[in-house]
């Protein structure tokens, strides 16, 4: 389930669901309690709850003798491109291009979600925990490089992510909506953006104002801007929308009461708050199969690629062996906000880090040149992305039949400075998740399944527990946090059990970690 939002290929995502009947904001009732549900059905690397994340890695070449004999280029990539870059690396390694000054070059690609890798690089890469230190880092967006450099320079260290990296592939942030809902507010003839989302979010009538009371209130889904690329891009985009700017977002803008209120009003419509978009898309897809998709969510900020996958019947972007895609009953359409949007540009950062030798930089440049060749860039389209090489034409599957428009977006937003990015995440990202948190792990029988295709590898529950335990460190002492488990009964209905009440986490942090560590799959449960 990549949810290939950037957190994919081998873990388990989380989602936060706002409690029914309570909404945060002006005159909208008490602060709500949110439940972080770790969903085990999705094979992806993840981050959790407020500012935490899980940590997984995959590599088919970890013990290859060429790591010793050749100039090795370790590559840490966000999971949505692990399969493609692994394939390209294998082709490169077997080609006559894989040599430098008479010595072989060996490229070893590993999966590491963007937020996870950024934090690991900022904190001092731990090879025992994270694998070999990367020569090339390819997060989903250049924004992560800006954040990394800011964190390093704030400590008096040198920036290591180049400011002008090449892009391997592109996909813009969009607002995904069920086609009937989008048409109800004027799609495709009427320009739609964050202003219309805000209008719907504030309307007490909800969809009744558009002649569809059966759809209920407007329900918005968003992801954690601290670790999710789509969540970070959405936060930037909605803040720009509040200012009316397309560039030059400043710290003064963030402090503007108008901007703060705009963000608060948008967040008040969030009924599903997750770490990765595939949480929403998989659940949305399941709801669609039951005929309840229009009441599950009204809109989710995702990447264009996710809309393509969903409409092709593959909501998590991955198909198991023998699995055939089944198109949804109600397709999604991609709305490109009129105020502008950002690309997830999948940069290829050749790191200016102490552990990267001159020879490794040269070898990395050769691999970069290889993956940007036209023939290799055409393969990007097979995965639902746009080629990073501008000479390669955008084509299928980026077509109207999949709910997207290759001629959009028409307005692009500037990535803010490091100072502004830090302010955005601290002031808006964290405050959007205020209130009480009930961190909940899926303990269904399926959580005993392997999370990675390796002998004796961790189970889905192992990774989920790691994610939640790591996430607990990021709450402030006064934050109200509890623990609950989640499974389903034979009818597929959710069953929750509170194993630790919501209380100030300060004196309870270690006890909560122990309770999570002791969790085990309930094999008798249906999933």
């Amino acid at each position: 389930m990549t949810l290939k939002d950037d957190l994919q290929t081998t873990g388990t995502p989380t989602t936060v669901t706002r409690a029914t009947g309570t909404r945060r904001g002006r005159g909208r009732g008490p602060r709500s309690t949110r439940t972080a549900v770790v969903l085990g059905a999705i094979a992806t690397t993840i981050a959790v709850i407020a500012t935490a994340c899980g940590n997984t890695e995959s590599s088919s070449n970890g013990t290859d003798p060429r790591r010793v004999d050749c100039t090795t280029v370790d590559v840490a990539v966000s999971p949505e491109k692990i399969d493609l870059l692994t394939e390209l690396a294998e082709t490169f390694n077997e080609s006559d291009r894989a040599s430098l000054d008479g010595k072989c070059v060996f490229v070893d690609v590993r999966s590491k979600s963007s937020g996870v890798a950024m934090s690991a690089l900022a904190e001092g890469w731990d090879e025992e925990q994270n694998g070999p230190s990367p020569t090339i880092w390819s997060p989903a967006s250049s924004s992560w490089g800006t954040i990394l450099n800011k964190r390093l320079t704030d400590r008096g260290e040198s920036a290591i992510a180049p400011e002008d990296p090449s892009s391997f592939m592109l996909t813009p942030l969009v607002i995904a909506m069920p086609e009937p809902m989008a048409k109800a507010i004027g799609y495709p003839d009427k320009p739609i953006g964050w202003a219309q989302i805000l209008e719907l979010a504030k309307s007490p009538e909800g969809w009744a104002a558009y002649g569809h009371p059966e759809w209920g209130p407007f329900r918005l889904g968003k992801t954690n801007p601290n670790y999710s690329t789509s969540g970070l891009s959405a936060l930037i985009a909605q803040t720009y929308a509040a200012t009316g700017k397309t560039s030059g977002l400043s710290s003064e803008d963030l402090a503007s009461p108008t901007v703060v209120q705009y963000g608060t009003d948008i967040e008040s419509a969030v009924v599903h708050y997750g770490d990765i978009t595939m949480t929403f898309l998989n659940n949305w897809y399941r709801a669609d199969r039951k005929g309840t998709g229009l009441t599950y969510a009204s809109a989710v900020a995702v990447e264009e690629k996710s809309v393509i996958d969903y409409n092709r019947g593959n909501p998590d972007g991955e198909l198991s062996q023998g699995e055939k895609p089944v198109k949804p009953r109600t397709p999604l359409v991609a709305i490109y906000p009129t105020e502008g949007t950002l690309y997830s540009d999948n940069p290829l950062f050749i790191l200016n880090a102490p552990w990267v030798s001159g020879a490794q930089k040269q070898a990395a440049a050769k691999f970069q040149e290889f993956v940007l060749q036209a023939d290799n860039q055409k393969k990007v389209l097979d995965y639902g992305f746009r080629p990073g090489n501008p000479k390669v034409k955008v084509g299928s599957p980026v077509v109207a039949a999949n709910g997207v428009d290759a001629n959009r977006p028409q307005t692009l937003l500037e990535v803010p400075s490091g100072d502004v990015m830090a302010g955005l995440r601290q002031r808006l990202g964290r405050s959007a998740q205020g209130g009480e948190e009930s961190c909940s792990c899926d303990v269904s029988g399926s959580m005993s399944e392997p999370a990675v295709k390796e002998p004796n590898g961790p189970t889905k529950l192992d990774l989920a527990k790691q994610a939640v335990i790591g996430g607990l460190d990021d709450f402030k002492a006064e934050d109200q946090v509890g623990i609950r488990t989640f499974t389903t009964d034979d009818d597929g209905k959710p069953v929750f059990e509170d194993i630790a009440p919501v209380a100030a986490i300060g004196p309870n942090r270690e006890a909560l970690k122990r309770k999570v560590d002791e969790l085990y799959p309930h094999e008798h449960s249906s999933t």
Side-chain angles (χ1 to χ4, degrees), residues 455-475:
N456 302 315
T459 66
K460 293 178 180 179
L461 184 57
D462 290 335
L463 297 184
K465 291 194 296 185
Q466 290 175 20
V468 174
I469 290 170
L472 294 174
D473 285 330
D474 290 292
F475 286 102

Side-chain angles (χ1 to χ4, degrees), residues 116-132:
V116 177
M118 183 277 295
S119 292
L121 288 165
E123 295 164 6
W125 192 273
D126 183 339
E127 292 198 339
E128 183 175 343
Q129 179 179 2
N130 300 306

Side-chain angles (χ1 to χ4, degrees), residues 64-74 89-108 357-364 366-367:
D64 196 298
R66 288 175 294 183
R67 292 189 61 83
V68 176
D69 299 332
C70 306
T71 298
T72 300
V73 176
D74 286 297
E90 291 172 351
T91 302
F92 175 83
N93 289 337
E94 299 300 328
S95 72
D96 56 9
R97 296 175 181 274
S99 64
L100 180 67
D101 297 333
K103 186 177 182 179
C104 58
V105 172
F106 177 64
V107 176
D108 192 352
S357 68
Q360 286 176 311
K361 286 186 178 182
Q362 292 180 56
K366 295 192 71 170
F367 179 63

Side-chain angles (χ1 to χ4, degrees), residues 126-248:
D126 183 339
E127 292 198 339
E128 183 175 343
Q129 179 179 2
N130 300 306
S133 301
T135 299
I136 297 176
W137 173 40
S138 184
S141 169
S142 293
S143 298
W144 294 110
T146 300
I147 295 170
L148 170 62
N149 288 341
K150 169 64 177 172
R151 289 183 59 174
L152 291 172
T153 55
D154 279 351
R155 293 204 305 264
E157 300 178 24
S158 298
I160 64 173
E163 294 184 357
D164 56 348
S166 298
S167 294
F168 175 59
M169 59 190 189
L170 305 166
T171 188
L173 177 79
V174 301
I175 301 171
M177 295 186 73
E179 188 173 32
M181 289 179 163
K183 287 184 175 180
I185 60 174
Y187 171 91
D189 301 321
K190 178 183 176 181
I192 300 172
W194 289 103
Q196 285 67 43
I197 297 298
L198 179 58
E199 179 184 345
L200 273 164
K202 295 172 66 175
S203 172
E205 297 180 82
W207 286 106
Y210 290 87
H212 290 282
E214 72 276 14
W215 294 344
F218 178 78
R219 299 178 176 91
L220 178 63
K222 292 188 65 183
T223 50
N224 185 346
N226 290 297
Y227 285 93
S228 161
T229 299
S230 63
L232 179 61
S233 295
L235 182 58
I236 295 170
Q238 72 185 52
T239 306
Y240 265 122
T243 65
K245 295 180 175 180
T246 58
S247 63

